[in-house]
Amino acid sequence: MLTVDFTRFPLAAGDRVLDLGCGAGRHAFECYRRGAQVVALDQNAEEIREVAKWFAAMKEAGEAPQGATATAMEGDALQLPFPDESFDVVIISEVMEHIPDDKGVLAEMVRVLRPGGRIAVTVPRYGPEKVCWTLSDAYHEVEGGHIRIYKAEELLGKMKEAGLKPYGTHHAHALHSPYWWLKCAFGVDNDKALPVRAYHKLLVWDIMKKPLATRVAEQALNPLIGKSFVAYATKPHLPAAAVADAS
């Protein structure tokens, strides 16, 4: 289940991609399939081991085209172990709401992104997320949980302050918002509640089968209750005058 829409965020074979806070690796795997040179980085060592196993399995199965590469590594988003301008593309999906120093993370992403490179940022959308916070303290008051809810203008403003130039936004995963509302209403850790179990079966069926009816429904509902807010931006090239001054 991808949050980044690659029709709006084009990826070319050979692009150097950093999936920052990759989690289980869903976006990293898609970039690898598209022929990119992928680095999946996360602070969770267990998840990184699993991502590395899946990368190896994908290579063995021939899922990635010739020339594509994939590396999974443990690391700190605030101290990225890469030189300046190392990547053509950076993706950070459902991560920034967890990190106190979000401006520091943005600064690091901009540092390792080449001029002209592209970045995709996804965070929980304000409205659906606010409902979750209202229904359940346990949803966010946990170690490593969500510490803020972004409004679109706030996130875009921070991206601009970091030196990025946003060029597009959208919402995603409308069908998942009611699921999390049910989870929060019946207990975040209570997977046995009948409404939660029933809706989860619906989501699994939708992900596996991708029926036209739910695809159309989600597209229609995304502007209203999409669970995620997605923003795309570029890192502008320095003006000629600035380049001359730097040299």
Side-chain angles (χ1 to χ4, degrees):
M1 185 187 73
L2 299 174
T3 307
V4 172
D5 181 351
F6 286 95
T7 65
R8 310 183 194 215
F9 189 67
L11 193 69
D15 275 351
R16 299 162 296 165
V17 178
L18 172 63
D19 185 2
L20 182 56
C22 64
R26 57 201 173 105
H27 288 106
F29 300 149
E30 180 65 19
C31 293
Y32 189 31
R33 290 188 188 99
R34 289 171 177 261
Q37 298 175 8
V38 184
V39 175
L41 183 144
D42 201 284
Q43 66 177 1
N44 187 314
E46 183 177 343
E47 287 195 308
I48 285 299
R49 284 193 292 271
E50 285 300 310
V51 170
K53 290 178 183 177
W54 278 105
F55 278 152
M58 290 172 67
K59 182 178 181 179
E60 181 70 19
E63 288 190 38
Q66 187 174 3
T69 61
T71 303
M73 62 185 295
E74 192 176 349
D76 183 353
L78 288 165
Q79 293 181 316
L80 295 175
F82 311 113
D84 296 354
E85 303 178 9
S86 296
F87 295 95
D88 304 299
V89 173
V90 177
I91 297 171
I92 184 166
S93 183
E94 311 300 304
V95 173
M96 288 181 57
E97 67 275 9
H98 296 272
I99 301 176
D101 186 8
D102 58 346
K103 290 186 178 181
V105 172
L106 278 168
E108 273 292 88
M109 289 190 289
V110 171
R111 180 184 68 79
V112 301
L113 185 65
R114 67 165 178 81
R118 303 173 306 285
I119 187 167
V121 181
T122 92
V123 296
R125 183 183 186 176
Y126 183 85
E129 184 78 348
K130 190 69 173 178
V131 173
C132 290
W133 283 43
T134 301
L135 290 172
S136 172
D137 290 336
Y139 170 79
H140 64 98
E141 290 182 357
V142 295
E143 184 177 355
H146 299 182
I147 62 171
R148 70 173 65 82
I149 309 176
Y150 287 102
K151 290 187 175 180
E153 296 79 7
E154 177 192 1
L155 178 61
L156 292 171
K158 289 184 175 182
M159 291 172 70
K160 291 175 184 176
E161 288 176 11
L164 295 168
K165 184 177 180 180
Y167 69 82
T169 66
H170 65 90
H171 301 99
H173 309 319
L175 295 182
H176 287 251
S177 289
Y179 172 71
W180 282 102
W181 297 340
L182 288 169
K183 288 270 288 181
C184 290
F186 286 93
V188 173
D189 297 320
N190 180 13
D191 293 326
K192 296 182 179 180
L194 180 58
V196 175
R197 287 192 289 118
Y199 203 98
H200 183 262
K201 286 183 179 180
L202 170 66
L203 290 180
V204 172
W205 172 76
D206 175 57
I207 291 170
M208 298 300 294
K209 300 296 185 181
K210 297 181 175 63
L212 178 61
T214 55
R215 296 300 88 214
V216 172
E218 184 156 74
Q219 287 298 318
L221 290 170
N222 274 338
L224 301 173
I225 59 169
K227 183 75 170 65
S228 294
F229 174 71
V230 188
Y232 305 111
T234 58
K235 177 179 176 178
H237 290 276
L238 285 174
V243 173
D245 290 342
S247 62

